[in-house]
Amino acid sequence: APMRGHMDRSLAAILRPRSIAVVGASRQPRSIGREILHNLIQYGFTGPIYPVNPNAASVHSIKCYASLRDIPDPVDLAVIVVPKGIAARVVDDAVARQVRGLVVITAGFREVGGEGERLEQELKDRVRAAGIRMVGPNCMGVINTDPEIRMNATFAATRPEPGTVGFMSQSGALGEVILAHAHEIGLGIAYFVSMGNKADISGNDLIEAWEDDPRVNVILMYLESFGNPTRFLSIARRVTRKKPILAVKSGRTAAGARAAFSHTGALAGAGAAYDTLLDQAGVIRVDSMSEMFDLATAFAHERRPQGNRVGILTNAGGPAIMATDACATLGLEVAELGAGTQAKLRRVLVPEASVRNPVDMVAAADASSYSQALAILKDDPGLDGLIVIFVSPIMINALEVARAIIAASQSARLPILTCFMGKEQGRRGVEELRRAGIPVYQFPEEAARAMAGLDHHRRIRERVQGAHRAFEVDRPRAGAVLRAAVAAGRAALLPEETEDLLRAYGLPLAPSRMAADAQEAVAAAAQVGFPVVVKGVAESLVHKTEAGAVRLDLRNAAEVEKACRAMRESLGDPRLRFQVQAMVRGGRETILGIARDPKLGPMLMFGLGGIFVEVMKDVVFRILPVTDVEAREMVRGIRGHPLLAGARGGPPADEEFLVEALLRLGQMAADHPAIEQVDINPLLAGPDRASSFVVDARVRIALTAPGSSTIMPA
């Protein structure tokens, strides 16, 4: 078979093999070895098939070989279904036979831990050393519906229909359900790969293989883990500009245990990292398999909307209202149709019809009404997509309505999604629409959700990339601060060290001085100028406000002295020091932070700050490095953005300054891997740079080299 796109040769041996051996082919009914052989034969694989079983002369009426080494002809792909103890020996046979790809169905490896983990590493080392590629182990197999290949190398009971979906699943059991449901709703597939333990071939490899494959219009992923997130980000970012990738992510809770030190750490737990990764990669994350199928059905066809304006055509008011509400919630616009379009519709529809949008032709509408209305709507320059609803009344022929929609769709420039509601009569119409490749849904909200998915991918394709900016900073000074803290064994930086670090990266701090006792505090207050804030500083204090270690708006020396004495008494810590800070007024309280995800590395956070941050949780994350465009999207991406933009008559906060502050913080995290968490809360954002200050900040560092397994003391 000719090579397609740039599918690397080793993957072609698995996805487009010319010959297949089934090792562990069996005569026993319902055994996996028999099912795979049976599926390959029944689906009509276009090359030779070689069963391998030392205890049989023939299986399924085909001559059988005792070992891979005995097969006289070249073998592209070996499907391995043998007990785990002899899997490694079979891989040795495959290497000797110069087999180019393996699909290891056998289970009992890493997923069972212990000995299984060791056996899997052994398999992996062997295939890597031999330069062979492997899917699995512990997987369900591979399908390619291309008429040139016709390979169903799985033990699934469903016979797959050809189509334009590339589907990868980490779960084998779910694979069976996926194939059955796709078949049921008429969603055809191009490839299906059950990846199992991903010892060798990963989701990243498959995305690259399908990137330029003309048979794949949409890539679907069911994932439980990411192997190499950084590589995933760069591959998916590129591919999603060409074709959509949809992902159902399971297991979306992160290790929330590292959280208590900072707000950023607490908020970065529970799935935020993976949601962020998928979003930055341009992947559309769906919450359920049903949503994935709704979107995939629409994406399986070439047509894409140019904008978010939707027209709704219906023969019943209720479902049209449901569709309109769903569209509005999902960010689609159901705008009134232009006067010219309305006049044209008036001429062809009954007087009771409503022609504004939704266009309700009422129950009497038949196939010719649909045909005439669609002829007008499909060419309306004010629309980007159409949702056509048909509730099947007794007297109207649903099949003819379906054919009218199919005819109109053939010459349309915009996507047409349909919703057929109603019993027996409607079913034949549904089948006809599916055969013609027109997306058809049971409920109006599903059609709206699919249209919103198409629009989401349009926005991903139109995203502006932005640039990575580097600022002049004092990197050696920052490094010296961090080295001193590590040498002293301090995971949390002292206030003066934190200030030094932030200054080195050009982040503006509210004027402040440190004081050892009340007398020094009074002198410091005179230096920074009244009114002042006094904060108690001790290793044991993390959340100062709750501990009563912050006194605001002190106007004179006596107030400062009294505040220091009261704090020392109530906290009872003889080593308590005081930070005296100028009282900064005005501006909006924001929070900027860094948190390191164990798998995805450093993440940047932005949100509304001050005491509300953990209550409102109005924050956004990005995985570093971020571009200037992404930093601006962060500032604008919080729900409370109107407060920054000057709602309620206040002056707007300086957006340029906030964008730059985020980029400087990101640069700091990239330059110094020892930094684990940073919490700048609040950063008061005034109407300009001169009136914007960091009021409070905390930094936590790793006392061991990043990447080592020791956890630093809390």
Side-chain angles (χ1 to χ4, degrees):
M3 302 291 296
R4 297 283 182 95
H6 69 241
M7 185 182 290
D8 98 44
R9 289 203 77 83
S10 56
L11 244 63
I14 290 173
L15 294 175
R16 305 182 61 79
R18 289 162 301 197
S19 54
I20 301 176
V22 180
V23 187
S26 165
R27 294 172 161 182
Q28 282 169 343
R30 287 199 294 283
S31 67
I32 291 180
R34 186 188 181 285
E35 290 305 315
I36 288 177
L37 188 63
H38 176 73
N39 278 349
L40 281 170
I41 295 166
Q42 196 208 25
Y43 199 63
F45 178 60
T46 55
I49 301 170
Y50 305 102
V52 175
N53 180 339
N55 306 318
S58 68
V59 177
H60 219 306
S61 315
I62 306 178
K63 175 176 161 44
C64 205
Y65 295 87
S67 142
L68 280 171
R69 297 173 193 253
D70 300 334
I71 300 172
D73 306 308
V75 175
D76 274 351
L77 171 65
V79 181
I80 299 178
V81 200
V82 297
K84 67 175 175 186
I86 59 170
R89 207 168 72 220
V90 172
V91 171
D92 288 340
D93 292 345
V95 173
R97 189 65 208 74
Q98 295 180 313
V99 173
R100 292 164 50 225
L102 303 174
V103 171
V104 183
I105 307 287
T106 311
F109 290 92
R110 195 179 66 220
E111 78 280 8
V112 299
E115 172 71 353
E117 212 150 328
R118 191 186 62 71
L119 286 172
E120 182 163 323
Q121 192 55 50
E122 210 175 288
L123 279 191
K124 191 172 176 169
D125 293 343
R126 285 178 185 200
V127 298
R128 288 273 158 97
I132 296 177
R133 301 307 306 268
M134 168 176 77
V135 169
N138 181 33
C139 77
M140 191 184 142
V142 179
I143 293 170
N144 179 355
T145 61
D146 186 343
E148 284 179 28
I149 310 288
R150 296 197 59 80
M151 165 180 66
N152 179 1
T154 70
F155 52 92
T158 311
R159 188 186 169 93
E161 294 296 325
T164 57
V165 172
F167 207 130
M168 60 182 90
S169 173
Q170 212 170 322
S171 152
L174 208 66
E176 178 71 77
V177 178
I178 288 164
L179 289 170
H181 190 68
H183 188 80
E184 203 176 297
I185 64 168
L187 178 67
I189 62 165
Y191 299 94
F192 170 83
V193 179
S194 158
M195 297 183 294
N197 294 0
K198 300 198 297 191
D200 175 39
I201 287 177
S202 67
N204 290 342
D205 298 321
L206 291 169
I207 294 172
E208 282 196 306
W210 294 339
E211 174 177 1
D212 295 319
D213 191 314
R215 294 180 55 243
V216 177
N217 277 354
V218 54
I219 296 171
L220 308 185
M221 319 169 66
Y222 170 84
L223 288 179
E224 287 156 15
S225 65
F226 286 93
N228 180 340
T230 332
R231 186 167 163 243
F232 173 77
L233 192 56
S234 71
I235 295 169
R237 252 194 182 131
R238 183 180 77 230
V239 176
T240 50
R241 291 190 165 271
K242 308 178 192 175
K243 48 183 80 168
I245 301 178
L246 311 181
V248 177
K249 174 75 181 74
S250 74
R252 288 176 49 223
T253 51
R258 60 178 191 284
F261 174 76
S262 71
H263 294 296
T264 310
L267 293 159
Y274 284 110
D275 290 355
T276 302
L277 174 72
L278 294 172
D279 180 53
Q280 278 175 266
V283 172
I284 299 174
R285 191 181 63 70
V286 292
D287 288 319
S288 64
M289 294 308 285
S290 73
E291 187 179 353
M292 176 178 269
F293 279 115
D294 285 348
L295 268 59
T297 306
F299 277 124
H301 310 284
E302 286 288 279
R303 230 173 275 151
R304 302 283 186 262
Q306 301 298 303
N308 71 337
R309 302 161 307 167
V310 180
I312 298 171
L313 178 66
T314 184
N315 66 346
I321 294 168
M322 288 161 77
T324 306
D325 285 349
C327 285
T329 311
L330 295 163
L332 299 170
E333 207 183 318
V334 183
E336 189 161 330
L337 296 170
T341 300
Q342 289 198 32
K344 282 183 205 159
L345 287 166
R346 272 266 160 264
R347 287 200 283 277
V348 300
L349 298 179
V350 295
E352 307 86 76
S354 161
V355 294
R356 295 168 57 170
N357 196 17
V359 176
D360 184 354
M361 304 184 291
V362 302
D366 60 6
S368 77
S369 323
Y370 274 91
S371 183
Q372 289 175 296
L374 282 170
I376 295 162
L377 293 172
K378 74 181 171 68
D379 295 330
D380 186 330
L383 295 176
D384 302 301
L386 281 175
I387 293 174
V388 181
I389 299 170
F390 174 70
V391 181
S392 168
I394 288 299
M395 68 284 185
I396 305 293
N397 185 327
L399 200 54
E400 283 175 15
V401 170
R403 285 175 183 154
I405 296 170
I406 293 164
S409 177
Q410 275 157 359
S411 60
R413 59 174 175 83
L414 48 134
I416 296 179
L417 307 184
T418 66
C419 168
F420 261 47
M421 302 172 80
K423 280 282 170 272
E424 213 44 56
Q425 247 269 319
R427 187 170 302 149
R428 287 170 58 213
V430 168
E431 284 163 11
E432 192 87 354
L433 287 165
R434 280 190 184 143
R435 266 199 299 278
I438 293 186
V440 53
Y441 299 96
Q442 207 174 346
F443 299 110
E445 308 91 310
E446 293 170 352
R449 195 160 67 174
M451 191 68 82
L454 293 177
D455 186 56
H456 186 166
H457 186 240
R458 171 187 68 84
R459 293 198 308 275
I460 288 165
R461 284 204 321 271
E462 291 170 3
R463 268 182 190 171
V464 180
Q465 294 276 17
H468 290 285
R469 286 167 56 190
F471 299 92
E472 289 272 315
V473 295
D474 191 342
R475 195 170 168 175
R477 178 181 172 190
V481 169
L482 298 173
R483 276 194 302 279
V486 169
R490 275 196 314 276
L493 296 192
L494 301 172
E496 50 269 55
E497 292 172 323
T498 299
E499 295 200 355
D500 247 7
L501 180 66
L502 296 183
R503 277 207 184 89
Y505 276 80
L507 291 157
L509 295 141
S512 83
R513 296 268 188 286
M514 291 303 297
D517 54 29
Q519 270 163 304
E520 280 186 25
V522 169
Q527 279 179 304
V528 301
F530 291 101
V532 296
V533 176
V534 174
K535 298 173 182 174
V537 176
E539 296 257 342
S540 58
L541 279 176
V542 176
H543 296 294
K544 292 193 265 305
T545 316
E546 285 96 290
V550 178
R551 303 293 162 99
L552 303 172
D553 204 11
L554 306 173
R555 302 297 179 96
N556 53 47
E559 286 184 15
V560 169
E561 196 173 346
K562 187 177 158 198
C564 292
R565 296 233 156 87
M567 254 187 256
R568 181 153 278 166
E569 252 167 64
S570 71
L571 294 164
D573 186 337
R575 290 165 314 203
L576 189 71
R577 298 184 302 147
F578 302 102
Q579 185 179 19
V580 181
Q581 202 174 37
M583 177 92 181
V584 181
R585 285 200 162 76
R588 290 282 178 212
E589 293 196 329
T590 62
I591 179 170
L592 282 64
I594 295 288
R596 251 172 223 281
D597 183 85
K599 283 242 168 53
L600 307 182
M603 295 167 60
L604 188 60
M605 181 181 87
F606 176 75
L608 284 185
I611 56 175
F612 301 118
V613 61
E614 283 201 32
V615 180
M616 306 305 283
K617 293 187 172 55
D618 187 9
V619 291
V620 290
F621 286 93
R622 285 287 181 279
I623 290 159
L624 290 171
V626 300
T627 63
D628 49 2
V629 169
E630 287 178 309
R632 195 171 307 277
E633 281 173 0
M634 289 178 77
V635 174
R636 293 180 181 176
I638 57 170
R639 293 188 299 277
H641 180 253
L643 293 170
L644 298 179
R648 295 292 168 103
D654 183 345
E655 188 179 88
E656 289 309 317
F657 165 74
L658 286 171
V659 169
E660 187 179 309
L662 281 167
L663 292 171
R664 285 177 178 274
L665 185 58
Q667 189 173 336
M668 183 203 291
D671 287 350
H672 305 283
I675 296 174
E676 288 257 293
Q677 295 186 5
V678 179
D679 233 16
I680 296 177
N681 180 35
L683 178 143
L684 279 182
D688 55 30
R689 224 162 260 260
S691 55
S692 301
F693 297 98
V694 172
V695 175
D696 200 9
R698 270 179 300 185
V699 177
R700 186 185 181 101
I701 57 172
L703 294 177
T704 53
S708 77
S709 61
T710 44
I711 301 297
M712 51 184 202

